[in-house]
Amino acid sequence: MARVLMKGNEAIAEAALKAGAEGYFCYPITPQSEVAEYLAKRMDEVGGLFLQGESELAVANMLFGAASTGKRVFTTSSSPGISLMQEAISYMAGAQLPCVIVNIMRGGPGLGGILPAQSDYFQSVKGGGHGDYRLLVLAPSTIQESVDLMMLAFHLADKYRNPVMMIGDGMIGQMMEPVEFPDHYEEPELPEKSWVATGAVGRKPHVIKSLFLDPYMLEKNSWELHEKYDQMKKEEVRYELYKVSAKNKIMIVSYGTTARICQTAIDQLEKEGISVGMFRPITLFPFPEPQIHKEAIKKNINDVLVVEMSTAQMMEDVEKAVLGKKPVNFFGRTGGVVPAPEEVKEQIMMLIEKQKKTKAKKKA
Amino acid sequence: MDQQNQTIFARPDAMTETVTHYCPGCTHGIIHRLVAEALDDLGVRENTLGVAPVGCSVLIYNYFDTDFLEAPHGRAPALATGFKRMRPDMVVFTYQGDGDLASIGMSEIIHAANRGEKFTTIFVNNTIYGMTGGQMAPTTLPGQVTTTCPAGRDVSRTGYPIRMVELLAALATPAYLQRVSVHTPQHIIQAKKAVRKAFEYQLEDRGFSLIELLSTCPTNWGMTPSEASKWLAENLLPYYPLGCYKDFDKAEGDK
Amino acid sequence: MNLSAMRFQPPAISGGIIIIVGGYGSGKSEVSINLARYLVTSQSETTGPVSIVDLDIVNPYFRSREAAKELEKLGITSVNPSGGQFYADLPIILPEIKGTIERREGTVVLDVGGDDAGSRVLGSLANAFEGAEYELLFVLNANRPFTATAEGCLKMMSEIETASRLKFTGIISNTHLLEETNEETILDGLRLSHRVSDETSLPVRFLSALENILDEIDPKLIDVPVLPLNRLLLKPWE
Ligand SMILES: Cc1ncc(C[n+]2csc(CCOP(=O)(O)OP(=O)(O)O)c2C)c(N)n1
Ligand code: SF4
């Protein structure tokens, strides 16, 4: 297919259709309402279902009902709406239902603002709702990657029978970039959905539930879920290295569009003769912990710098990965303030100064 | 009449052999049976999905020989909406108590009814939170004693009980809304007709239908089953008048 | 004056009320900003004072108001919500906007939100437009999904006319693929603009494209006036 210019929100919507999504449920919220507006037109054309619910609370529960049919279904929202969805997300994780949820993040807490932020990291990767569960969390940094990951999200949701969340800061939803859609979407074969509710014809009823009154059964269910998360850690970790080399003294860890700001900073520094590399996690759960560890402990690396649009959330996971072997530094802007490449450069220059001083001290 | 008797005493196909967990004299069991009989009569058991509430009837899926979803507290209408929209060919019902439907799930039921979702809601009104131990519900009668209004419901502080079918009847969309009771055999026969009609309307694609069934909770009312039936007749019937509040057929003129 | 501006014929627009509409993401804001700049620098004898009004109530980011400071430097007044409201996603229609249109002095470029949804706000200003002469220009980007064909464009144009309660006076050929734009992109887009022009009998008032790409194109290939663009609404990493 030819390349078209699309806004992130539209591209995400179209990608879902390409992946075979048949149902979409929504409640308007900036900066992702274009997904709904786009699908209000497109779903009719492709014979799928578009439904605007009365609240995100209801929307996520509609998704629960719809996912029980075994068809591919999804919703999109932004931070405050995602908070309201946590109830159904926890239930779906417990009942092992596949579905896709997109969070185009804005600044919080509370009503916050409408500008880009990455401050829902904890909520996305650490559970969000109640109970022992995890979501598989994907974080694109370009519109093309949003398309690719959105399609992958449906596959992974089915593969693991688990809700998959894709998170992007507001810019991912609002900016425009050229994208390409595959003419025809191929994915690895998946097991048959033998668990769906389709009417108890010639079989025992299927009950889709997260209720286990017997604590031993509930514990068993929780460990089964845990096994899936372990399998995800083995099979689904995705990340990208940018200009990582033995010349680097500093390794940046950054994700989403913030990583692109860091890229610009890295490119500019390269011209000035300063070599910096970047590790960009693409899956936030499973988090590329061993991979970050391996890169961070390399001899040439003196410092790790985490850059996020939050007050240090992913930072905690990076620290956990680095295990105290190297200093982990942090630079963040939040509340809708986007860091500038110059600011990132400044942070790097400060680290280099610090490194020089310690070296001098050691010599003395 | 003969046929009535037969169906009342044989286990409907749509029910399993599992013994229910309900307290002696609790009317949940009767209402399950009415639903199962309607599914049998219409021959739709194998094409039915039920949505269970959170409340005393949370384990309803153990007693029905149909597929089931277990919803978060109050959200059964949202699950039913999502499911039925994806599978319009199936018969879908929610089964909900008064705390589930009229308190925490008020928003979901009103909007599902108003969108005209084509499923049936079985609304069991026993004026109390049974599962959690007898707290006040939005339907608790003025002066009625519960664990969270030990001196009796004080309407000056908590307002008057909500009459759900009347509230929903104010909406233009729903197809069929009726209130029935199950405290005497005669009332059960009427209730059975209403439940069946609600499912028929669904099969005919007419839109949203809801049957409110006045029921007893002997355990939390602190009464014997027969005292409870008598208390229902004397106290619930005057505040919650039985009858049909909306019927698609009859309302044809308004449309 | 830059090279491409000299090689191509400049847009024949001398001022007045100029309303820029089009599909979501067609590039209206960038066109509005550059048109205002062009008018202030090249047409100052006819324009009178130039102001730009950000009427985009559907887009939360990348709006012309973000270029306000740059424009003020050139003497272009920009009418935007101030303070915290600058960032709001509230549909803020300042009273000044109506006033600016009603005064009919000088030149006003109105940068309107996308699609019929974004144009609806013009309907609410119908009184202010009464009896006024105006230009209503459709920004056409052939690489956007809903305006990739002549039928798509016609459908959107009729929806915008209904919503705005105004009539189109011309088309702006603004086909691009951001940094991936090349000569072919621009010429393909121009062909579509001509097709839409034939169907609607509306003129292609001008073609707009990034200056560095225009520099590479043989002027003979473009048979309409040209507005060279300099991007002002950049992404944080650009
Ligand atoms: C979010 C949430 N809040 C509270 C509860 C606890 N809870 C379980 S059942 C129930 C009330 C049920 O009452 P009703 O719907 O009247 O049904 P009954 O038990 O009387 O049949 C409550 C408050 C819950 N499960 N979930
Ligand atoms: S507590 Fe009340 S409603 Fe619950 S089973 Fe017992 S009698 Fe029935």
Side-chain angles (χ1 to χ4, degrees):
Chain A
M1 211 177 119
R3 288 173 86 66
V4 281
L5 190 59
M6 281 183 116
K7 208 172 192 179
N9 283 332
E10 302 169 328
I12 287 167
E14 190 59 37
L17 298 182
K18 285 281 179 314
E22 293 179 73
Y24 170 72
F25 302 85
C26 64
Y27 189 80
I29 184 169
T30 309
Q32 63 77 55
S33 297
E34 294 87 355
V35 182
E37 286 159 355
Y38 185 86
L39 287 169
K41 292 183 188 167
R42 281 288 281 144
M43 270 301 191
D44 269 355
E45 290 171 16
V46 300
L49 173 80
F50 168 90
L51 187 63
Q52 176 175 333
E54 65 270 29
S55 68
E56 290 88 349
L57 195 64
V59 159
N61 281 291
M62 288 173 181
L63 197 64
F64 179 172
S68 307
T69 63
K71 298 188 183 185
R72 286 188 165 172
V73 293
F74 73 115
T75 186
T76 61
S77 187
S78 180
S79 311
I82 298 286
S83 288
L84 272 184
M85 292 185 180
Q86 296 303 330
E87 172 189 67
I89 294 175
S90 158
Y91 276 71
M92 287 189 279
Q96 307 207 41
L97 281 176
C99 68
V100 176
I101 300 143
V102 179
N103 182 3
I104 299 297
M105 295 178 282
R106 52 190 250 177
L111 200 47
I114 59 160
L115 294 174
Q118 296 180 318
S119 37
D120 302 345
Y121 178 90
F122 283 151
Q123 186 194 50
S124 317
V125 306
K126 306 288 180 194
H130 59 285
D132 270 321
Y133 77 93
R134 291 288 197 275
L135 304 178
L136 212 153
V137 183
L138 306 170
S141 74
T142 66
I143 305 302
Q144 184 65 53
E145 196 177 28
S146 306
V147 167
D148 300 342
L149 292 181
M150 187 66 184
M151 293 171 58
L152 176 69
F154 284 96
H155 178 78
L156 294 177
D158 281 341
K159 176 173 172 189
Y160 290 97
R161 283 187 60 189
N162 203 68
V164 172
M165 182 170 276
M166 185 164 93
I167 66 174
D169 63 82
M171 240 161 344
I172 285 285
Q174 290 300 324
M175 70 184 177
M176 299 248 260
E177 281 179 342
V179 284
E180 196 167 338
F181 292 91
D183 280 328
H184 123 140
Y185 176 51
E186 276 185 43
E187 57 179 292
E189 215 170 304
L190 288 162
E192 206 194 318
K193 295 183 175 177
S194 54
W195 48 269
V196 294
T198 48
V201 186
R203 61 158 168 78
K204 286 232 164 74
H206 288 168
V207 177
I208 296 177
K209 65 181 175 77
S210 56
L211 173 68
F212 297 91
L213 290 176
D214 178 343
Y216 295 98
M217 294 300 290
L218 180 55
E219 185 189 40
K220 186 167 161 276
N221 188 61
S222 295
W223 283 118
E224 274 172 24
L225 297 182
H226 194 82
E227 267 170 38
K228 293 201 301 194
Y229 309 142
D230 278 344
Q231 190 192 341
M232 291 174 194
K233 286 181 188 170
K234 283 197 201 95
E235 297 177 21
E236 307 304 340
V237 170
R238 286 168 172 80
Y239 61 94
E240 190 184 70
L241 300 178
Y242 186 73
K243 298 198 175 162
V244 165
S245 80
K247 282 188 283 172
N248 301 156
K249 294 242 175 322
I250 294 167
M251 181 175 82
I252 293 181
V253 185
S254 188
Y255 72 100
T257 58
T258 314
R260 295 176 75 172
I261 294 163
C262 295
Q263 272 182 19
T264 302
I266 290 171
D267 294 349
Q268 290 174 2
L269 285 166
E270 193 178 37
K271 284 187 199 136
E272 296 164 27
I274 298 166
S275 158
V276 177
M278 178 170 67
F279 189 111
R280 177 171 73 88
I282 297 172
T283 50
L284 299 180
F285 186 92
F287 193 69
E289 224 173 87
Q291 292 82 357
I292 288 180
H293 185 79
K294 190 178 134 230
E295 294 299 331
I297 60 169
K298 286 189 177 156
K299 264 220 184 94
N300 53 299
I301 299 293
N302 294 328
D303 274 285
V304 175
L305 173 65
V306 180
V307 185
E308 293 178 74
M309 284 193 267
S310 81
T311 55
Q313 298 194 19
M314 180 177 72
M315 164 83 172
E316 292 188 7
D317 283 340
V318 176
E319 279 181 324
K320 197 163 144 249
V322 176
L323 285 169
K325 302 271 195 228
K326 294 285 163 73
V328 178
N329 307 273
F330 177 76
F331 175 65
R333 300 301 307 257
T334 194
V337 181
V338 177
E342 294 69 39
E343 291 177 305
V344 177
K345 276 167 73 179
E346 227 169 82
Q347 294 295 318
I348 291 184
M349 295 317 291
M350 273 158 55
L351 286 178
I352 290 177
E353 277 308 304
K354 186 195 79 177
Q355 289 172 5
K356 275 187 195 152
K357 271 187 207 150
T358 25
K359 216 171 165 188
K361 247 190 226 159
K362 265 189 199 156
K363 270 194 186 156
Chain B
M1 252 308 80
D2 238 41
Q3 213 199 353
Q4 279 307 348
N5 287 337
Q6 270 173 14
T7 42
I8 284 173
F9 289 108
R11 179 176 58 82
D13 281 344
M15 289 193 81
T16 61
E17 283 170 41
T18 315
V19 179
T20 68
H21 66 283
Y22 300 111
C23 306
C26 174
T27 40
H28 268 308
I30 297 174
I31 299 168
H32 283 19
R33 181 174 274 271
L34 297 182
V35 174
E37 284 169 2
L39 298 179
D40 279 2
D41 288 356
L42 299 168
V44 296
R45 176 192 72 81
E46 293 185 323
N47 197 33
T48 294
L49 176 93
V51 186
V54 179
C56 276
S57 47
V58 65
L59 296 175
I60 183 172
Y61 51 74
N62 286 333
Y63 313 132
F64 273 72
D65 197 11
T66 61
D67 283 358
F68 248 95
L69 309 182
E70 168 53 46
H73 196 16
R75 317 289 176 238
L79 270 74
T81 297
F83 191 94
K84 179 89 189 197
R85 291 271 184 151
M86 299 306 289
R87 286 297 306 266
D89 55 312
M90 283 181 68
V91 175
V92 176
F93 73 93
T94 71
Y95 187 102
Q96 303 177 256
D98 44 283
D100 194 78
L101 181 139
S103 186
I104 193 166
M106 180 62 112
S107 170
E108 284 74 18
I109 192 64
I110 291 206
H111 287 280
N114 194 52
R115 284 189 305 263
E117 297 298 343
K118 295 185 174 72
F119 63 80
T120 300
T121 290
I122 303 298
F123 168 38
V124 180
N125 180 3
N126 59 12
T127 70
I128 206 155
Y129 283 14
M131 184 185 198
T132 40
Q135 297 84 2
M136 190 185 82
T139 47
T140 297
L141 291 182
Q144 185 180 342
V145 173
T146 75
T147 57
T148 48
C149 50
R153 180 174 186 164
D154 175 358
V155 295
S156 73
R157 282 200 266 169
T158 62
Y160 282 88
I162 299 178
R163 298 184 174 105
M164 273 313 295
V165 279
E166 286 88 331
L167 192 76
L168 293 171
L171 304 174
T173 332
Y176 179 44
L177 302 169
Q178 173 134 12
R179 183 183 288 121
V180 295
S181 180
V182 290
H183 65 292
T184 71
Q186 289 74 22
H187 284 94
I188 292 174
I189 290 167
Q190 268 165 7
K192 180 179 163 144
K193 278 191 200 144
V195 168
R196 187 188 152 124
K197 181 166 164 180
F199 280 100
E200 278 170 359
Y201 269 40
Q202 182 178 168
L203 286 170
E204 290 161 15
D205 234 18
R206 293 185 185 211
F208 178 78
S209 52
L210 176 144
I211 307 299
E212 173 174 339
L213 299 107
L214 299 181
S215 16
T216 60
C217 174
T219 304
N220 286 306
W221 290 1
M223 298 175 194
T224 65
S226 60
E227 282 167 357
S229 295
K230 191 159 167 267
W231 193 83
L232 185 155
E234 285 168 6
N235 298 281
L236 263 62
L237 291 185
Y239 191 86
Y240 295 114
L242 304 184
C244 179
Y245 286 80
K246 185 110 200 222
D247 191 331
F248 180 91
D249 274 347
K250 292 179 189 131
E252 206 60 24
D254 316 335
K255 297 211 168 173
Chain C
M1 184 90 307
N2 59 56
L3 179 69
S4 14
M6 294 191 311
R7 290 167 66 229
F8 296 96
Q9 189 192 337
I13 291 180
S14 54
I17 301 176
I18 304 157
I19 312 162
I20 307 293
V21 299
Y24 269 129
S26 53
K28 295 172 301 298
S29 296
E30 211 66 81
V31 168
S32 304
I33 292 168
N34 280 279
L35 182 61
R37 274 210 291 215
Y38 162 74
L39 290 169
V40 133
T41 50
S42 316
Q43 305 287 310
S44 48
E45 306 92 67
T46 49
T47 55
V50 176
S51 45
I52 182 163
V53 177
D54 183 349
L55 260 186
D56 191 341
I57 56 165
V58 287
N59 253 337
Y61 309 170
F62 305 115
R63 299 180 281 201
S64 62
R65 64 185 69 164
E66 286 168 34
K69 278 203 197 103
E70 290 293 314
L71 295 174
E72 304 273 344
K73 279 190 218 152
L74 295 170
I76 300 170
T77 314
S78 71
V79 185
N80 297 311
S82 56
Q85 292 186 347
F86 182 91
Y87 300 105
D89 64 336
L90 301 166
I92 297 173
I93 311 293
L94 299 174
E96 293 98 291
I97 294 180
K98 203 160 173 247
T100 310
I101 301 168
E102 276 168 348
R103 244 175 283 128
R104 312 238 155 107
E105 292 165 5
T107 293
V108 191
V109 178
L110 291 118
D111 173 22
V112 184
D115 288 8
D116 49 332
S119 305
R120 206 163 296 141
V121 59
L122 293 169
S124 75
L125 295 167
N127 291 342
F129 286 115
E130 222 160 86
E133 294 230 352
Y134 60 81
E135 286 265 19
L136 179 68
L137 302 177
F138 182 72
V139 178
L140 192 161
N141 182 353
N143 286 320
R144 292 282 300 145
F146 292 114
T147 50
T149 61
E151 297 76 61
C153 293
L154 294 176
K155 179 162 178 274
M156 184 170 294
M157 289 174 81
S158 102
E159 286 165 358
I160 291 178
E161 282 196 337
T162 310
S164 67
R165 301 204 242 153
L166 300 171
K167 290 276 168 230
F168 276 111
T169 58
I171 296 161
I172 300 172
S173 191
N174 187 50
T175 295
H176 68 94
L177 257 179
L178 289 171
E179 57 276 17
E180 292 178 22
T181 315
N182 56 28
E183 177 175 320
E184 205 185 319
T185 325
I186 291 174
L187 296 179
D188 279 349
L190 182 57
R191 269 188 288 279
L192 181 66
S193 298
H194 278 311
R195 223 171 309 141
V196 175
S197 163
D198 291 344
E199 295 274 342
T200 54
S201 314
L202 292 167
V204 178
R205 292 304 306 268
F206 58 85
L207 177 147
S208 46
L210 283 180
E211 209 181 298
N212 56 339
I213 304 163
L214 286 171
D215 289 347
E216 318 263 289
I217 299 184
D218 177 359
K220 282 198 273 318
L221 295 175
I222 298 181
D223 54 0
V224 296
V226 169
L227 177 74
L229 300 179
N230 268 305
R231 283 184 62 201
L232 263 189
L233 301 174
L234 296 174
K235 290 165 192 145
W237 51 87
E238 287 179 325

